[in-house]
Amino acid sequence: MRRGALLIGMRRGALNLGAIGALSFLVLPFAFFAWATPWGRLHAVAGDFDAVRVSVVYTLAALALIVIGGTPLAYWMARREFRGKTVCEGLVLLPLLTPPLAMGLLLALLYGPHSMVGATAARLGLELTNTPTAFVLAQVYAAAPYYVIAARAAFESVDPELEQIALTLGKTPWQVFRLVTAPLARLGLAVGLAMAWVRALGEFGIVLVIAYFPQGIPVKLWVNLQDLGLDAIYPLLWIFFLVALPLPLLLGIVSRSYVMRTETV
Amino acid sequence: MRRGALLIGMRRGALNLGAIGALSFLVLPFAFFAWATPWGRLHAVAGDFDAVRVSVVYTLAALALIVIGGTPLAYWMARREFRGKTVCEGLVLLPLLTPPLAMGLLLALLYGPHSMVGATAARLGLELTNTPTAFVLAQVYAAAPYYVIAARAAFESVDPELEQIALTLGKTPWQVFRLVTAPLARLGLAVGLAMAWVRALGEFGIVLVIAYFPQGIPVKLWVNLQDLGLDAIYPLLWIFFLVALPLPLLLGIVSRSYVMRTETV
Amino acid sequence: MQIDYLIEAPVRLTARLRVEGFTVLLGASGAGKTTLLKALAGLLPATGTPYAQLAPQERPIGYLPQGCALFPHLSVWRNVAFGLRGRRRARRARALELLERVALGALADRAPQTLSGGQMQRVALARALVRNPALLLLDEPTNALDRATRAHVIGELRALIDQFGIPALVATHDTYLAALADSVAVLADGRVAQQGPPDEVFDRPATRAIAQLIGFENVVRADLVERAARLPESLKSPLDAGAAGRELGIAIRAHDLQLMRNGAAIEGAIALSATIKETRREGLATRIFLDGPMALEALSPSPCGDRGWQIGERVRVAVAPDRMRLVAWDG
Amino acid sequence: MQIDYLIEAPVRLTARLRVEGFTVLLGASGAGKTTLLKALAGLLPATGTPYAQLAPQERPIGYLPQGCALFPHLSVWRNVAFGLRGRRRARRARALELLERVALGALADRAPQTLSGGQMQRVALARALVRNPALLLLDEPTNALDRATRAHVIGELRALIDQFGIPALVATHDTYLAALADSVAVLADGRVAQQGPPDEVFDRPATRAIAQLIGFENVVRADLVERAARLPESLKSPLDAGAAGRELGIAIRAHDLQLMRNGAAIEGAIALSATIKETRREGLATRIFLDGPMALEALSPSPCGDRGWQIGERVRVAVAPDRMRLVAWDG
Amino acid sequence: RAATPLRVAYAGSMGTVMDQQLGPAFAKANGVEFQGIGQAAYALAHLLESKQMQADVFVSVTSGPMRILLKDGLVREAPPVAGTQMALAYSPQSRFAKSFAGKQAWYEVLESPGLRFGRTDPATDPQGRNVIFTLMLAERYYHAPGLAEKILGPLRNSAQLFAEPSLLTRLEAGQIDATVGYLSAIKSEHLPFVELPPEINLSNPADFDAWYSKASFTLSADGKTTTARPEPLVFYAAVLANAAHPEMARKFVRYLAGPEGQRILRESGYDPPVGPTLR
Ligand SMILES: Nc1ncnc2c1ncn2[C@@H]1O[C@H](COP(=O)(O)OP(=O)(O)OP(=O)(O)O)[C@@H](O)[C@H]1O
Ligand SMILES: Nc1ncnc2c1ncn2[C@@H]1O[C@H](COP(=O)(O)OP(=O)(O)OP(=O)(O)O)[C@@H](O)[C@H]1O
Ligand SMILES: [Mg+2]
Ligand SMILES: [Mg+2]
């Protein structure tokens, strides 16, 4: 156990209390929701499972793209010093900052059928509106900045000396990244991935604008509400939790269990 | 400059290319937006500045609450080992995961005028729907998990030995936190704060349900779009960027400049 | 100051020792020196006296950890001044004063990451001293220092310790440091196996582990020696006493073994025959590894060439009886 | 192997030295030893031969950094096996073999955080050895080790070096280690100021900085000595030569200074008068600080009590001419 | 003066007239604060029904959303306050803009290859259903068999369906060439439009039983199939049973139906209300 100052040096009551209070506050709506759910007459609405499939499959695809593109960007931002780095940081924050609806509109303007990008893509057979590609695009914009920012902080906290030592042991930079940097940054990377996953899965505003179809869970929730009323969202929301939570939890467990079981004290 | 393996051991071309490619992709919609903006006939719509005021003031309030409650929670999760910790992690992720619209509905269920909590609060003179309090509430739920998760990862990467040494130098746990833990975790904390800020500012789905009023920027964007069409959102979105970006950029600069200007190589 | 600590984890230690003036804690790598110092600082759970009931921040100690552990976000002088209260100007003045004493006044405004290993160690020492603690706990305070710097730093340390009467417990492997101590405590087999003034401990180690630690290259089972050589009476009677109870060993420093060409006669010394297995140049001397009734190591003061010892040559090994030390074989 | 490096930052170094067998790099704290080793490993920009054009991962070197820098996410054996390719079984076998040689076979599956300082250092050494490199760069490989462990580890290291003919460049403060070396290079004032076999370097330091580094407690300006005492002819003529060019100093080890009660006559030695300023017990000996025409430090082999030196007492200090060494005063 | 504002939940298409004219005018005249919440009518109805949202007045387009609240007892009576009609709007940036403005029949232009037609989801949005009715009626009225099928494709044709904000933005940006929607909303967006004959624009209550009802289609939701039939394009306003300010709410409904309200509505492009009060 690696115990810090607050746990060694003070009676733990205050910290525990504060922490558990804050946690309860965050969890309260879900507890209430569990309590209010009419478990007896819970049944999925037609199309709910399609929505689950759409969400999971395309979010995984988006996640893959995010990791592939975001990892080099994050590493680069962590290790390179150059003028205008602050500007870069601001730029990465932009998509995070933009309210989803506005982000959706921006994407619609850029990737829509008559825009330059959209028209070119369409000519190549890649429709960027109301298609799986558009859906994935929306999710990438929604989630990538979370991953990049978390991964960048994680990379920054890896001691460059360890990477250097690994080089002197004859590993190529790519092996060093795989064997040293990534494992040491795994906690932050896992956090980033988990955030990206939940953001992408839960994304509503952007998707609503540029990919009303295929309908993933968030849009389906919206449709169910309009169509059938509040009762129809209970089951889908529970299914959503069931589907979405395992990945982040697994990421958390794996990234932590990978830590060598260290100090026994 | 603290250079890692990839920058020492390989020709930099590939990494630079990947990173700049990814960055451009993320920034493209904004570049396009800047290009498409009709700068000549840009003018704010009535109520836009009210929306800015509402957003900034209440988001700052929400941020304060998030820091006060989230910091102990994050520290506790970083340093305490206990059974069921994984469950706690999952619980913190829940509000992140829930699509904003659904989150809004959950909050309405719990804090709405006809719920137990909402009714009690109303009797105490605290309306929790369409009031500033509700607005702040929505933002706290939207943004707190980001802060908690980032702060937790940041605290986890602070070497407990340094905290312990600070204790042996006669500092109280609270001083240790202030003088050692927080400064060493500042990068991650800044990232968490920046994320929380932009999430809270940009939050639309939750606010739409439980706090349509007072109207912050995201709801106003929506209203402008519905009422006046696309042209009315250009100015507000630019104002939004102008208002929202300075804080995260400042956080980034401060947290980095605080690092001692180290190795000159 | 009397210390009496019981530690359960990561290693079980029963530490009972006196800290008076400059007390050195010797112990093999992994014996638990760091563990004991951390427990005294309140950073590991332990029971005993003094301080065990106090939180670490309430203990009047100054602790220099083995890895220095400088605060990476604070400049050198702020690291030193960390433990102080009061106005910046006063804190800086006090920090600079201590930095001068460890010959680092010029680096006060540097970041700790830009220091060399030895410079870091000196900053950590200054930091541990800054609060005028009632007990100093120093974990390897000089192992990154060259001779001249070490002599200077130790001189300043002694001056401080003497001036303020602060007792210091110093974990080290450095026998030079141990020789300077007022008292040496040896940690072995989970307890303080011996404590005394350095000349006593260095001259009369109590156990085999201690003898090896302080540089007796040869420690052999007494019964082996007994069988192979005539023993003087002064050793015979304790050996017989040992035969009744626990096993004993005989410890001899390499440079106390004398090598002679086979056949040469020696008076008044114990001698046996051996074969030269290996020789190794060691600065101005030569280390000679011997095979025979027991493996032995001798140090010939002159370079190899002078006497021309050949590998495989049979020699007589002799040792003056007063250079042999009787030690307990286990624990 | 001939090394010829030019380094600009963080300190300017011109390093020109031969690495043959076991070569020790001596230098004061902050002289640039770590800097040189890092540059050789390719971790700092530098120009020169060999390897300077190669990326670090292409250099056939084994590097043990000063702080050990074990991979915290890998168990002990995986740290050692990190540089190996091939099947897990073979890699583990090789790692265990090396761990045995540093007496850590039993800890192969531990996490590095649970090791003591000395244990970490040995793991880092094993890791540096694992690829049979063409050049070993060891930064303070033994400073966390006790005498017995150090002797064992150095023995194994020598055996490896001799067996595979790998040259090793070892930065250290440890004069014991330096005495064992095939060659000693001294880094001072940004360059390799002297290189030679240890007995030569230890006996004939070239400059004042080197003399202080290797333990000549007294280095005084030659003109001061000249004024205060009669000098033998053997010293006089080089001094006159020095007078023409650069300044010279005279270096004397503390234990080569003999102290006598005032008035006693000495033959064939240089003598001057001084006052005892301070005495300090040092294990079995006593260190005596003297004031006079120049500050001096003497080491009396017997404990203080034997001769009863008093603070403030006036004494004669003598030194045999052949114990004095002429050194360059600056650089 | 009321402590909390008067809260009016209304069908999103009324945004401009409510937020910029009726609301402010009423607020000024009566010394209350006015808060308008414009969203999809069915979503509002469901939120009000399940008490997740609280409002004083609800204004719905068509009777469907209002019936949810009537059934639930949250509303006792809902008088009509305005009407509108379906019209075709096209993008001024569209390459077909000239054709729409010219002599060619609008439905022929809609059939042009490459034209992008947009509409909202018939599953959730009454407007989306009305688009389908309009085209089905046009097919009969112009004797052009297969017209609706040709223009619309499948009922939920993913190439044409957009969420409302997306649809409007795209239309303005020229990414969608044309849509069919409420004339009142089209006018407030200042989009060029083509008026449709009363036989197909769903505005004439007299036509309902005989003519409009010939158009219908089936939709399935939650396993049940329902048949959608046209309803008159009428806006209904109602005071909610749990209103915080029932008095002021009634006053607002009367204001909408009164001369001042009607004048503003008319000037904003709305038709006068027709048909009976819903109960
Ligand atoms: N967290 C831990 N878990 C398990 N074993 C540990 C842990 N920490 C230390 N040890 C073991 O406890 C023993 C004592 O460690 P300690 O660091 O006190 O040794 P030390 O005497 O300071 O050695 P050194 O001189 O090498 O620094 C070592 O064998 C070490 O491997
Ligand atoms: N990044 C840096 N920025 C500025 N100065 C530095 C930096 N790194 C090292 N130095 C300085 O360069 C000098 C040489 O450092 P180096 O670590 O090579 O010394 P060293 O000989 O290894 O000393 P030690 O024996 O104490 O480890 C030191 O004075 C140090 O303060
Ligand atoms: Mg230790
Ligand atoms: Mg160094």
Side-chain angles (χ1 to χ4, degrees):
Chain A
M1 213 200 299
R2 317 214 325 142
R3 292 184 316 161
L6 289 179
L7 296 180
I8 290 189
M10 90 180 196
R11 288 180 222 5
R12 302 176 186 181
L15 178 65
N16 281 1
L17 215 74
I20 293 175
L23 187 61
S24 314
F25 177 73
L26 286 182
V27 172
L28 197 60
F30 299 91
F32 185 80
F33 178 56
W35 176 78
T37 301
W39 292 104
R41 52 197 174 82
L42 209 63
H43 66 279
V45 173
D48 279 3
F49 289 105
D50 280 343
V52 170
R53 195 182 42 76
V54 165
S55 268
V56 171
V57 171
Y58 297 131
T59 305
L60 285 175
L63 220 54
L65 292 177
I66 290 170
V67 170
I68 291 169
T71 307
L73 177 56
Y75 190 87
W76 183 76
M77 287 178 57
R79 291 276 192 257
R80 284 272 287 181
E81 291 299 333
F82 53 94
R83 226 178 304 220
K85 191 167 170 181
T86 311
V87 176
C88 273
E89 281 159 24
L91 290 179
V92 172
L93 276 175
L94 270 183
L96 263 189
L97 177 65
T98 315
L101 183 77
M103 190 71 213
L105 296 177
L106 293 191
L107 293 184
L109 289 178
L110 176 63
Y111 295 109
H114 284 283
S115 73
M116 233 162 40
V117 181
T120 314
R123 222 170 299 126
L124 301 173
L126 204 67
E127 280 279 358
L128 293 182
T129 311
N130 280 4
T131 56
T133 320
F135 190 90
V136 171
L137 198 70
Q139 295 198 313
V140 168
Y141 277 100
Y146 292 96
Y147 175 74
V148 171
I149 290 172
R152 176 251 168 95
F155 288 142
E156 216 151 357
S157 72
V158 173
D159 185 352
E161 181 172 25
L162 292 175
E163 299 182 348
Q164 296 178 1
I165 298 302
L167 281 181
T168 69
L169 290 165
K171 299 293 174 191
T172 63
W174 168 240
Q175 286 173 319
V176 172
F177 180 80
R178 209 161 45 80
L179 299 173
V180 177
T181 317
L184 287 176
R186 69 196 171 278
L187 249 165
L189 292 179
V191 163
L193 260 186
M195 276 193 189
W197 165 255
V198 300
R199 279 316 303 159
L201 262 187
E203 180 46 50
F204 172 66
I206 306 181
V207 165
L208 187 71
V209 176
I210 80 159
Y212 192 76
F213 289 97
Q215 284 184 349
I217 296 177
V219 171
K220 188 69 169 91
L221 275 172
W222 166 250
V223 168
N224 281 1
L225 173 72
Q226 299 200 54
D227 233 10
L228 304 165
L230 198 61
D231 273 2
I233 74 167
Y234 286 101
L236 188 51
L237 205 49
W238 283 115
I239 297 173
F240 188 46
F241 291 155
L242 279 181
V243 169
L245 271 183
L247 183 80
L249 291 188
L250 210 76
L251 278 174
I253 293 173
V254 169
S255 73
R256 254 161 260 282
S257 72
Y258 196 87
V259 181
M260 295 251 5
R261 273 296 127 234
T262 55
E263 313 163 47
T264 54
V265 183
Chain B
M1 212 200 298
R2 317 213 326 140
R3 292 183 316 160
L6 290 178
L7 296 180
I8 290 189
M10 87 182 197
R11 289 178 220 7
R12 301 177 187 182
L15 179 65
N16 281 1
L17 215 75
I20 293 173
L23 187 62
S24 315
F25 176 74
L26 286 182
V27 172
L28 196 60
F30 299 92
F32 181 80
F33 178 61
W35 176 78
T37 301
W39 292 104
R41 52 195 173 85
L42 211 61
H43 65 279
V45 174
D48 279 2
F49 289 106
D50 280 343
V52 170
R53 195 184 39 77
V54 164
S55 268
V56 171
V57 170
Y58 296 131
T59 304
L60 285 176
L63 220 53
L65 291 178
I66 289 170
V67 170
I68 291 170
T71 308
L73 177 56
Y75 190 87
W76 184 75
M77 286 178 57
R79 289 279 192 254
R80 285 271 289 180
E81 291 299 332
F82 53 93
R83 225 178 304 217
K85 192 168 171 182
T86 312
V87 176
C88 274
E89 282 159 22
L91 290 179
V92 172
L93 277 174
L94 269 183
L96 263 189
L97 176 65
T98 314
L101 182 81
M103 190 70 213
L105 291 174
L106 293 192
L107 293 184
L109 274 179
L110 176 62
Y111 297 109
H114 288 273
S115 73
M116 231 162 43
V117 181
T120 314
R123 223 169 298 125
L124 302 173
L126 202 68
E127 279 278 358
L128 294 182
T129 312
N130 282 1
T131 57
T133 320
F135 189 90
V136 171
L137 199 69
Q139 294 197 315
V140 168
Y141 277 100
Y146 292 96
Y147 176 74
V148 171
I149 289 173
R152 176 252 167 92
F155 288 142
E156 216 151 357
S157 71
V158 173
D159 186 352
E161 181 172 25
L162 292 175
E163 299 183 346
Q164 296 178 3
I165 298 301
L167 281 181
T168 70
L169 290 165
K171 299 293 176 192
T172 63
W174 168 240
Q175 287 173 319
V176 172
F177 180 81
R178 209 162 43 81
L179 299 173
V180 177
T181 317
L184 287 177
R186 70 196 170 277
L187 247 164
L189 292 179
V191 161
L193 260 185
M195 276 195 190
W197 165 256
V198 299
R199 278 318 301 161
L201 262 187
E203 181 45 50
F204 173 65
I206 306 181
V207 165
L208 189 70
V209 178
I210 78 160
Y212 197 84
F213 289 96
Q215 283 184 351
I217 296 176
V219 171
K220 188 73 170 90
L221 271 173
W222 161 259
V223 169
N224 282 1
L225 180 72
Q226 288 217 337
D227 291 359
L228 306 165
L230 195 58
D231 272 2
I233 74 166
Y234 285 103
L236 188 52
L237 204 50
W238 283 114
I239 297 174
F240 188 46
F241 290 155
L242 279 181
V243 170
L245 272 182
L247 184 79
L249 290 188
L250 211 76
L251 278 173
I253 294 172
V254 169
S255 72
R256 254 161 261 281
S257 71
Y258 196 88
V259 181
M260 296 253 3
R261 271 296 127 234
T262 55
E263 313 163 47
T264 53
V265 183
Chain C
M1 181 182 298
Q2 180 69 32
I3 287 177
D4 200 345
Y5 259 60
L6 180 65
I7 301 163
E8 295 289 343
V11 279
R12 204 186 149 80
L13 285 183
T14 332
R16 192 187 271 273
L17 71 161
R18 267 159 298 110
V19 180
E20 40 196 17
F22 192 87
T23 299
V24 157
L25 183 66
L26 282 182
S29 170
K33 302 179 292 297
T34 300
T35 305
L36 175 57
L37 295 197
K38 278 200 170 172
L40 282 169
L43 305 176
L44 283 178
T47 53
T49 53
Y51 308 142
Q53 318 79 280
L54 297 181
Q57 68 268 31
E58 292 157 353
R59 303 188 184 197
I61 53 107
Y63 174 51
L64 178 146
Q66 189 162 8
C68 294
L70 297 181
F71 299 118
H73 60 300
L74 299 178
S75 65
V76 164
W77 82 262
R78 282 184 189 276
N79 259 282
V80 176
F82 188 86
L84 299 176
R85 292 154 190 286
R87 303 179 60 78
R88 185 193 131 106
R89 175 188 292 268
R91 293 166 62 232
R92 184 171 160 102
R94 169 92 176 114
L96 283 181
E97 176 200 327
L98 278 165
L99 283 171
E100 288 299 344
R101 298 195 99 155
V102 294
L104 285 181
L107 303 186
D109 290 308
R110 282 262 284 270
Q113 299 88 327
T114 69
L115 299 182
S116 77
Q119 290 163 344
M120 286 188 199
Q121 200 162 43
R122 286 177 275 162
V123 176
L125 178 63
R127 184 178 64 178
L129 292 170
V130 82
R131 289 202 305 151
N132 292 326
L135 172 64
L136 268 175
L137 303 170
L138 309 180
D139 204 347
E140 312 267 5
T142 58
N143 69 356
L145 302 182
D146 60 283
R147 280 181 80 134
T149 314
R150 181 180 64 177
H152 173 78
V153 166
I154 294 177
E156 290 291 341
L157 191 60
R158 272 233 76 120
L160 274 167
I161 289 174
D162 296 346
Q163 187 178 332
F164 296 105
I166 309 172
L169 181 62
V170 182
T172 191
H173 307 109
D174 187 345
T175 37
Y176 170 78
L177 203 57
L180 291 182
D182 295 316
S183 173
V184 170
V186 186
L187 200 61
D189 305 315
R191 62 193 182 83
V192 177
Q194 188 174 5
Q195 178 168 23
D199 40 4
E200 185 188 306
V201 172
F202 279 79
D203 198 40
R204 310 223 148 264
T207 70
R208 178 169 60 128
I210 301 175
Q212 283 169 335
L213 192 66
I214 62 179
F216 283 81
E217 289 93 337
N218 304 296
V219 187
V220 275
R221 286 249 305 275
D223 52 345
L224 277 182
V225 182
E226 214 176 1
R227 242 173 284 149
R230 287 167 296 127
L231 284 180
E233 284 310 312
S234 62
L235 281 178
K236 275 243 173 89
S237 43
L239 273 189
D240 290 343
R246 51 213 190 106
E247 255 181 304
L248 294 176
I250 290 178
I252 309 161
R253 290 186 193 270
H255 62 71
D256 288 330
L257 281 186
Q258 285 168 273
L259 257 57
M260 270 147 301
R261 288 266 133 74
N262 225 343
I266 325 148
E267 278 309 303
I270 304 140
L272 43 78
S273 294
T275 317
I276 294 182
K277 204 174 66 177
E278 196 190 332
T279 65
R280 192 187 290 163
R281 191 68 181 282
E282 223 171 74
L284 300 173
T286 308
R287 191 168 292 270
I288 299 157
F289 295 86
L290 300 163
D291 233 357
M294 61 212 77
L296 288 173
E297 217 176 302
L299 193 71
S300 155
S302 50
C304 215
D306 296 14
R307 300 284 291 269
W309 299 115
Q310 300 292 321
I311 288 178
E313 193 180 348
R314 298 245 348 134
V315 291
R316 300 269 308 154
V317 188
V319 56
D322 65 335
R323 308 313 301 170
M324 298 168 87
R325 295 289 175 264
L326 219 51
V327 297
W329 187 255
D330 333 271
Chain D
M1 181 182 299
Q2 179 69 30
I3 287 176
D4 201 344
Y5 260 60
L6 178 67
I7 301 162
E8 294 290 343
V11 279
R12 205 187 147 80
L13 284 183
T14 333
R16 192 187 272 274
L17 71 162
R18 268 160 297 109
V19 180
E20 40 196 16
F22 192 90
T23 299
V24 157
L25 183 67
L26 283 182
S29 171
K33 301 179 293 298
T34 300
T35 304
L36 176 56
L37 295 197
K38 278 199 171 174
L40 282 169
L43 305 176
L44 283 178
T47 52
T49 53
Y51 309 142
Q53 318 81 280
L54 296 182
Q57 68 268 30
E58 291 157 353
R59 302 188 185 198
I61 55 107
Y63 174 51
L64 178 146
Q66 190 162 7
C68 294
L70 298 181
F71 299 118
H73 60 300
L74 299 178
S75 65
V76 164
W77 82 262
R78 281 183 192 278
N79 259 283
V80 176
F82 188 86
L84 299 176
R85 292 154 190 284
R87 304 181 58 78
R88 183 193 133 107
R89 177 188 290 270
R91 294 166 62 233
R92 183 170 161 103
R94 170 93 176 113
L96 283 181
E97 177 201 328
L98 279 165
L99 283 171
E100 287 299 343
R101 298 193 100 157
V102 295
L104 284 181
L107 303 186
D109 291 308
R110 283 262 284 269
Q113 299 88 328
T114 69
L115 299 183
S116 77
Q119 290 163 345
M120 285 187 200
Q121 200 163 43
R122 285 177 275 161
V123 176
L125 179 63
R127 184 178 64 178
L129 292 170
V130 81
R131 288 202 305 154
N132 291 325
L135 172 64
L136 268 175
L137 304 169
L138 310 179
D139 204 347
E140 311 267 5
T142 58
N143 69 356
L145 301 183
D146 60 283
R147 279 181 82 132
T149 314
R150 180 181 64 176
H152 173 78
V153 166
I154 294 177
E156 291 290 342
L157 192 59
R158 273 233 77 120
L160 275 167
I161 290 173
D162 295 344
Q163 188 178 331
F164 296 105
I166 310 172
L169 182 61
V170 182
T172 190
H173 307 110
D174 189 345
T175 37
Y176 170 78
L177 204 55
L180 290 182
D182 295 316
S183 173
V184 171
V186 186
L187 201 61
D189 305 314
R191 62 191 184 84
V192 176
Q194 186 173 8
Q195 179 169 21
D199 40 6
E200 186 188 307
V201 172
F202 278 80
D203 198 39
R204 310 223 147 264
T207 70
R208 177 169 60 129
I210 300 175
Q212 283 170 335
L213 192 67
I214 61 178
F216 283 81
E217 288 92 338
N218 304 297
V219 188
V220 274
R221 286 249 303 276
D223 53 345
L224 277 183
V225 181
E226 215 174 1
R227 242 173 283 149
R230 289 165 295 130
L231 282 182
E233 286 308 313
S234 62
L235 281 177
K236 275 242 173 88
S237 43
L239 273 188
D240 289 343
R246 51 212 188 107
E247 255 181 307
L248 293 176
I250 291 177
I252 309 161
R253 290 186 192 270
H255 62 70
D256 289 329
L257 282 187
Q258 284 168 274
L259 259 59
M260 270 146 301
R261 290 265 130 77
N262 226 343
I266 325 150
E267 279 308 306
I270 306 139
L272 41 80
S273 294
T275 317
I276 293 183
K277 201 174 68 177
E278 196 191 332
T279 66
R280 193 187 288 163
R281 191 69 181 282
E282 222 171 73
L284 299 173
T286 307
R287 192 168 292 271
I288 300 158
F289 296 87
L290 299 162
D291 233 355
M294 60 213 79
L296 289 173
E297 216 176 303
L299 193 70
S300 153
S302 50
C304 216
D306 295 15
R307 300 283 289 274
W309 300 115
Q310 299 291 322
I311 290 179
E313 192 179 348
R314 297 238 357 128
V315 291
R316 302 271 307 154
V317 188
V319 57
D322 66 335
R323 310 311 302 171
M324 297 167 89
R325 297 286 174 267
L326 218 53
V327 297
W329 186 254
D330 335 88
Chain E
R1 195 189 163 102
T4 52
L6 179 72
R7 221 164 262 158
V8 178
Y10 57 81
S13 68
M14 299 186 86
T16 319
V17 71
M18 279 289 180
D19 285 343
Q20 319 237 321
Q21 309 203 33
L22 292 170
F26 181 78
K28 199 161 163 220
N30 293 278
V32 287
E33 200 189 323
F34 175 89
Q35 283 190 347
I37 300 177
Q39 283 191 50
Y42 274 104
L44 285 176
H46 283 301
L47 287 174
L48 290 167
E49 171 212 18
S50 55
K51 310 277 200 307
Q52 298 311 305
M53 177 181 276
Q54 202 268 325
D56 299 307
V57 176
F58 176 52
V59 183
S60 113
V61 60
T62 73
S63 60
M66 192 60 89
R67 279 186 212 285
I68 291 173
L69 300 183
L70 279 164
K71 194 170 128 221
D72 212 50
L74 259 178
V75 160
R76 237 168 280 125
E77 51 170 25
V81 293
T84 188
Q85 52 183 278
M86 297 306 281
L88 181 137
Y90 57 91
S91 168
Q93 317 205 22
S94 163
R95 60 194 164 105
F96 301 98
K98 275 208 193 67
S99 319
F100 281 120
K103 295 245 162 40
Q104 199 179 358
W106 61 271
Y107 55 92
E108 284 172 22
V109 183
L110 283 187
E111 284 170 313
S112 328
L115 179 134
R116 289 181 189 260
F117 185 69
R119 54 196 170 98
T120 55
D121 192 351
T124 59
D125 187 10
Q127 187 171 214
R129 295 181 194 179
N130 290 332
V131 175
I132 298 173
F133 295 136
T134 301
L135 288 169
M136 287 176 119
L137 291 171
E139 183 173 322
R140 284 169 176 267
Y141 177 69
Y142 296 113
H143 306 293
L147 177 145
E149 167 79 42
K150 214 159 158 195
I151 295 175
L152 297 175
L155 287 184
R156 294 187 77 197
N157 178 356
S158 66
Q160 293 184 344
L161 296 196
F162 295 93
E164 188 156 338
S166 176
L167 183 67
L168 292 176
T169 314
R170 286 169 190 273
L171 195 70
E172 268 194 80
Q175 297 186 349
I176 289 172
D177 297 297
T179 185
V180 170
Y182 301 141
L183 181 61
S184 50
I186 292 168
K187 281 185 174 165
S188 72
E189 301 280 342
H190 308 291
L191 290 167
F193 61 93
V194 176
E195 268 192 81
L196 304 179
E199 285 79 2
I200 66 172
N201 73 6
L202 303 178
S203 68
N204 186 359
D207 280 347
F208 260 87
D209 294 336
W211 172 247
Y212 289 163
S213 62
K214 291 202 158 65
S216 76
F217 59 89
T218 57
L219 272 173
S220 61
D222 198 11
K224 287 168 281 192
T225 37
T226 49
T227 304
R229 297 180 193 289
E231 288 187 72
L233 293 186
V234 174
F235 294 85
Y236 298 92
V239 178
L240 289 157
N242 59 354
H245 311 292
E247 208 38 59
M248 196 56 77
R250 273 191 284 279
K251 207 165 169 189
F252 184 69
V253 173
R254 280 201 301 273
Y255 171 77
L256 288 183
E260 165 87 353
Q262 287 300 308
R263 181 184 58 78
I264 293 176
L265 283 165
R266 193 172 56 249
E267 285 168 4
S268 304
Y270 289 82
D271 297 336
V274 288
T277 295
L278 296 179
R279 279 175 217 280

